[in-house]
Amino acid sequence: MAYTLAAPVVHEEIIQKSRFLAKAAPVASEEEALAFLAAQREPEATHNCYAYKIGSLYRFSDDGEPTGTAGKPILHAIEAGGLDRVVVLVVRYFGGVKLGAGGLVRAYGGVAAEALRRAPKVPLVDLVEVRFRVPFAEVGRVHGLLRARGLAAEETYLPEGVAFALRLPEEEKEAFLRALGDQTRGQAQVEG
């Protein structure tokens, strides 16, 4: 099972007089990742290196550091942590001591890994949309079922009844549909 971060996290280390600041956050899309990077970037810093992974999509940047010494180690920290839907930005303020390629890989990867290690994590749950219609006589039963399962649904009133749309974990879909059929005495019309 893959995990993501429960909340954004920040971690800072001084390595050979350079200040490394890792900022990580959960994201649901590439647009969210890019917005995070734009908002958290520090233009006055020497380098703003990053990586993000969202499903099979991943991107990374060395932002002027030697190729492969910053973005890839950050991405490796994300993958080694078993994380998905995560963005990590590591900001470096150069302190006057050159670290060499190996030192940069260890610094960027290490700071990113430590930030991710400290962050609270939650399992990733794939949600599916369920849409169905019921006659007005069954609306109260549907509301009871939703309350009992702690679910919220969008409702649209139609001339013949109410259309419901909700999102729930994929592994709960079949059980929910069975319970819906039982509660509404087979009156629910599931769409799709």
Side-chain angles (χ1 to χ4, degrees), residues 126-130 151-153 165-169:
D126 287 324
L127 299 178
V128 293
E129 187 171 57
V130 175
L151 298 170
L166 63 115
R167 295 178 63 78
L168 69 156

Side-chain angles (χ1 to χ4, degrees), residues 30-185:
E30 185 171 27
E31 292 75 26
E32 277 186 38
L34 295 173
F36 174 86
L37 293 169
Q40 297 298 318
R41 187 174 195 288
E42 297 185 15
E44 67 280 4
T46 314
H47 302 282
N48 285 271
C49 304
Y50 68 84
Y52 58 85
K53 181 177 182 331
I54 304 156
S56 61
L57 172 71
Y58 64 89
R59 298 278 185 274
F60 55 86
S61 168
D62 295 319
D63 190 36
E65 292 284 24
T67 302
T69 60
K72 279 186 181 179
I74 297 169
L75 179 62
H76 178 72
I78 294 169
E79 292 174 335
L83 299 170
D84 194 3
R85 299 183 197 164
V86 172
V87 60
V88 179
L89 170 68
V90 179
V91 177
R92 179 186 184 196
Y93 288 89
F94 183 62
V97 177
K98 294 192 178 214
L99 301 179
L104 289 172
V105 168
R106 285 188 297 278
Y108 279 103
V111 171
E114 184 60 21
L116 295 172
R117 188 189 68 74
R118 293 175 180 226
K121 296 164 193 69
V122 294
L124 270 175
V125 178
D126 287 324
L127 299 178
V128 293
E129 187 171 57
V130 175
R131 294 178 170 274
F132 59 92
R133 298 174 187 220
V134 296
F136 287 113
E138 304 302 324
V139 171
R141 289 189 171 98
V142 171
H143 285 158
L145 175 64
L146 294 173
R147 263 192 314 276
R149 291 178 173 256
L151 298 170
E154 186 179 301
E155 299 178 22
T156 305
Y157 286 82
L158 307 167
E160 68 280 358
V162 178
F164 290 87
L166 63 115
R167 295 178 63 78
L168 69 156
E170 189 171 15
E171 63 270 6
E172 296 177 19
K173 180 180 176 181
E174 291 306 315
F176 174 80
L177 292 176
R178 276 194 305 278
L180 177 65
D182 292 345
Q183 287 290 318
T184 62
R185 301 174 307 218

